[in-house]
Structure formats: C-alpha cells, structure tokens
Amino acid sequence: MNLETATATQVVTGRNLVAGEWDNNGESFNSVSPSTGKVLGTFVSASEDAAQTAIDAARRIFDTTDWSRDARRRSRALTELADNLEARIEEVATMLSRENGKLIAETNWEVSTAVDWLRYSAASAIIQDGGRSAEVSPGMYFQTGQEAMGVIGIITPWNSPVILSLRSIGPALAAGCTMVVKMPGQTALTNTLLAEIIAETTSIPAGVVSILTEAGNAVSPRSWPRRAWT
C-alpha cells in the first residue's frame, strides 16, 4: 500500500475521549509525518480540566458499579475490544506508520501483538486463583485476596503507542480498574483510532477508559495533587 495515497485511512482531526464523550476543546496542533514533513491532520491537546473530568468519571464508575467485581463481564469486554481492534489492524497500522515513521511491517506487528495481548488479558480476568489461605497456627488462618487498585493513570510514549498502551490497559481492565490514559501528541491520529475502537466496544462502560492526547505535561499525574486520583 502506498501510504501517501491511502487517504481512506487518514483521520483528519484527532479527538479526545473523555468520560465517554468526545472532547474537542483545547489548543490545536498539527500531526506531522516524520518521513515526509507533511501535515497529516490536526489534533486538540487535552487540558487539565479534561483530565479531571475523566478522573472523576473513572472514580464514580469504580465506586458505584459492579465493574471491579464482575470478572466475567470484564473478560467479555476485553474479548470484544480485541475483536474490534483486530478488524481494524490495517487501518491502525497504516496510520501509525504515517505518524511514527516505522515500516508498515513493524506497525502491523505492533497492532497484531496488541490484539494477542488483549486476548491474554481477557483470559486472565477469569483464571485468577482468588488468593491464598493457610492455617498458620492451630485454629488461626491467614488469607490473601486480589482486588482492583481503583483509578489508575497510564502515560504512553510515542515510539510504540499502541502496544505500550494496551499492554497496560489490558491487565488493568482484567483486574477491574478504571483508568485515564495520556497518549503522545506525536501519534495523535493513531490515538484517536484507538479511542474510537474503545468507544465502539459497548461492553466497556463509558468512562472506564478515557484516552487523552496531549502535547505538553498538564495531564501528567506527577504534576497533580494526589487528591485528583484518590
């Protein structure tokens, strides 16, 4: 495929998926091909307010729904997400090659591997052993159990954004967490495709996963007070 003529795979405008809604508010930037220097499209850099909205939604879902307690539900959601990504491997891989500069064979491998990782995560959601128990002395038992941590923040680098995002998203969903994912501005249009696929996965409740593309550092959890995440 000639990437310069594959206009059908282009995303003209990058968007942020915030608490289950598309958010186009913020400063606009260009997505530029590192191979040709041509502008591929534009995207909106997510703001601190958008991040807070995403965090609040993730916390609300974690605290008020059975998402963290229903392992079968999460396994089905991860399987659906894997199916949806697999159906768009070529589209995502092509855009990633245009924005990232990798060979198409490398981006195909990355997206295909991400599908496999999601399927592994779907299985792990229901194969967990549930913890350990032992009689440590006569009549005294010690038991450990597994539970989701809550709302987590994921920061993805630009060099392999699809696999490095889903390598974290998959296990976090399997464990029952909700999350906000900060993705790099260098691959904003690819990020939007990933956000679309998540939004199309109806078995993942809106707001469980927010995808925010950012050109700066306002969304970085390191720069935020701890209360934003707890």
Side-chain angles (χ1 to χ4, degrees), residues 77-85 118 166 173 197-198 201 204:
L78 280 159
T79 297
E80 183 187 352
L81 179 58
D83 290 343
N84 290 345
L85 179 59
L118 290 172
L166 293 174
L173 289 176
I197 292 166
I198 290 171
T201 304
I204 299 178

Side-chain angles (χ1 to χ4, degrees), residues 9-15 22 31 40 42-43 85 88-101 107 110-111 157-158 160-163 165-166 183-198 211 213:
T9 65
Q10 291 186 18
V11 177
V12 176
T13 303
R15 300 181 292 172
W22 293 110
S31 175
L40 300 172
T42 62
F43 69 95
L85 179 59
R88 299 176 70 176
I89 286 177
E90 183 179 4
E91 180 183 9
V92 176
T94 300
M95 181 56 74
L96 180 56
S97 181
R98 294 172 67 87
E99 282 194 299
N100 179 280
T107 57
E110 178 175 337
V111 183
W158 64 270
S160 298
V162 176
I163 184 60
S165 291
L166 293 174
M183 298 195 69
Q186 294 94 326
T187 58
L189 308 183
T190 304
N191 307 346
T192 299
L193 292 179
L194 180 59
E196 288 177 0
I197 292 166
I198 290 171
I211 302 291
T213 294

Side-chain angles (χ1 to χ4, degrees), residues 17-20 47-65 150-153 178-181 206-210 212 219 224-230:
L17 181 64
V18 180
S47 67
E48 185 174 322
D49 287 343
Q52 187 62 65
T53 298
I55 293 167
D56 291 344
R59 170 54 61 186
R60 183 171 59 254
I61 292 168
F62 186 84
D63 289 343
T64 64
T65 74
V151 181
I152 64 171
T178 56
M179 65 212 67
V180 179
V181 186
V208 166
V209 183
S210 288
L212 281 66
V219 178
W224 281 49
R226 184 167 178 78
R227 64 177 173 79
W229 297 90
T230 57

